[in-house]
Amino acid sequence: MKRILMIVAGAMLASAAQARPAIVVHNAPGVRVSYADLDLHSVAGRGALMGRVRLAAETLCLANGREPVAVSLDRIRCFHGTVQAGAAQMNRIAR
């Protein structure tokens, strides 16, 4: 059985520090992150998966280039929200 974590990025995800609810973005870009080769009950396995999640979030959310500050801030929020969503999914799976 394939074990894959699905991470969906949304440029306007609410940060964890904010008290308002997160915005659900439908039809947002997403990426599948495999963890079939990892033991999520080990520290090393969870660390490896989080590395994969961060790389996927970078690919989905961050861009190198010149753009307005507001767009850059949205990309950073997207990255952090995507990493948090990936960590939450991993924690549910590892239980």
Side-chain angles (χ1 to χ4, degrees):
M1 178 175 154
K2 285 187 177 180
R3 296 188 307 176
I4 297 176
L5 184 71
M6 182 63 182
I7 302 172
V8 177
M12 302 304 275
L13 289 173
S15 73
Q18 296 173 335
R20 61 187 177 168
I23 297 171
V24 178
V25 180
H26 298 286
N27 298 321
V31 65
R32 294 177 186 268
V33 178
S34 177
Y35 60 95
D37 60 322
L38 302 176
D39 175 7
L40 297 185
H41 298 291
S42 73
V43 172
R46 292 169 64 96
L49 180 55
M50 285 310 302
R52 293 176 190 180
V53 167
R54 283 186 197 91
L55 181 60
E58 284 179 24
T59 302
L60 286 172
C61 300
L62 303 180
N64 295 322
R66 295 182 181 189
E67 56 195 7
V69 173
V71 173
S72 294
L73 293 174
D74 284 343
R75 289 184 183 280
I76 291 167
R77 280 191 289 274
C78 171
F79 172 79
H80 289 293
T82 301
V83 170
Q84 289 173 345
Q89 289 180 53
M90 178 185 68
N91 290 332
R92 283 192 303 271
I93 292 165
R95 288 185 191 176

